[in-house]
Amino acid sequence: MDAALLNPTPNPSAWHAYGVTLNSRLLLGTAGYPSPQALHEAIVASGTEVVTVGLRRVHAGAGGGDNGHIAAIRSALREQGARLLPNTAGCRTAREAIELSHMARELYDTAWIKLEVVGDEQTLQPDPWELVLAAEELVREGFQVFPYCTDDLVTCQRLLDVGCEVLMPWGAPIGSGQGLINPWALRTLRERLPHVPLIVDAGIGAPAHAVQAMELGYDAVLLNSAVSQARDPVRMAAAFGRAVQAGRLGFEAGVMAPQAMAVATTPVSGRPFLL
């Protein structure tokens, strides 16, 4: 018998991003936590191996109240052995995002960058043209780009064409907590791009949303507000860590196909018998 079947709590398989093997399929943001201590404990409780931080927030906090949060992030990263994924949140043009990416590489000595280029102020929807322009130049300059994009297949293909190896389509607008508002589009991306690491980024509000993303076959989810804005961020971080595991295990086990009508699960033919 497979040894994994003897384990009452088997772990999901590992996944890979730019050649790095990761066991946790939860990426966690670091903005908006009520205290540095809550942030540190949430990172640890989540089991995440990738933590993202906004460069603009780091600079805004220099000499200000955000320094405690930066110290908490560094402490938790050491404790977890996790990687930092700087992001370009707040950028509106490709040029702005490129400049911030270079600052991130110098500050944190990492080629990883979560690329965000916002095109609409109300929805914070990524600008596909500026995003592809920025991604193309950053890849050419040696960055390993994690582009935050919509669930549009053509935009995703353009990002792959310019050298991105990972895609981060949204589930819903950032911070909205709406969950996966277009499962059909996300399912289409998964089916059309079967070998590309896909991470649902933005819009997740509850652990059930993370389970849904994982059951669609996505490799990971990235979230922030769902944990930082919870009544108890630490417990919520732990809940998401378990939800991602459960969803991925369900996908790997093979979720049954839905049926249009009832299907009897107990045989009704033959002679009755008593137990």
Side-chain angles (χ1 to χ4, degrees):
M1 181 180 292
D2 190 334
L5 297 178
L6 299 175
N7 183 350
T9 55
N11 294 319
S13 62
W15 65 292
H16 307 277
Y18 287 104
V20 176
T21 300
L22 298 166
N23 293 298
S24 172
R25 293 173 179 270
L26 176 63
L27 290 72
L28 196 63
T30 55
Y33 283 80
S35 69
Q37 184 65 24
L39 171 57
H40 178 278
E41 292 179 5
I43 292 173
V44 174
S46 73
T48 184
E49 293 177 307
V50 179
V51 174
T52 185
V53 62
L55 269 296
R56 287 185 178 279
R57 186 164 64 87
V58 170
H59 293 301
D66 208 39
N67 281 346
H69 286 77
I70 302 305
I73 294 169
R74 289 173 175 160
S75 174
L77 288 174
R78 288 193 297 270
E79 186 170 338
Q80 289 286 93
R83 298 177 64 95
L84 188 67
L85 176 61
N87 70 58
T88 63
C91 291
R92 300 299 191 270
T93 66
R95 179 50 48 196
E96 193 177 9
I98 291 166
E99 291 175 355
L100 202 58
S101 297
H102 280 280
M103 293 175 63
R105 186 159 63 180
E106 292 179 10
L107 281 171
Y108 299 113
D109 190 29
T110 179
W112 279 21
I113 191 73
K114 179 190 172 189
L115 179 61
E116 298 184 36
V117 185
V118 171
D120 180 75
E121 295 300 323
Q122 183 172 348
T123 64
L124 300 181
Q125 178 175 330
D127 182 322
W129 291 275
E130 294 292 306
L131 184 65
V132 172
L133 283 173
E136 183 174 20
E137 182 166 337
L138 289 172
V139 168
R140 189 164 53 244
E141 294 174 353
F143 285 88
Q144 296 172 327
V145 180
F146 294 67
Y148 166 59
C149 53
T150 65
D151 51 21
D152 177 67
L153 176 61
V154 175
T155 299
C156 288
Q157 289 174 326
R158 294 291 181 270
L159 289 165
L160 295 175
D161 290 343
V162 300
C164 295
E165 297 181 14
V166 176
L167 298 175
M168 306 182 75
W170 69 355
I174 292 174
S176 67
Q178 296 181 64
L180 310 187
I181 59 176
N182 194 345
W184 177 87
L186 292 173
R187 186 179 295 108
T188 299
L189 283 180
R190 181 71 287 172
E191 292 172 353
R192 294 289 300 276
L193 307 172
H195 304 300
V196 177
L198 298 178
I199 304 168
V200 171
D201 178 15
I204 288 179
H209 301 154
V211 172
Q212 184 183 10
M214 302 310 294
E215 288 180 348
L216 287 175
Y218 275 68
D219 296 278
V221 297
L222 190 155
L223 53 94
N224 181 72
S225 300
V227 171
S228 67
Q229 302 304 307
R231 185 172 63 251
D232 186 335
V234 178
R235 290 174 70 88
M236 187 60 78
F240 270 106
R242 288 160 175 76
V244 169
Q245 285 188 320
R248 181 65 190 186
L249 282 172
F251 172 75
E252 292 178 358
V255 179
M256 67 173 287
Q259 305 292 327
M261 57 189 298
V263 178
T265 57
T266 303
V268 294
S269 61
R271 295 183 178 181
F273 61 92
L274 298 177
L275 294 177

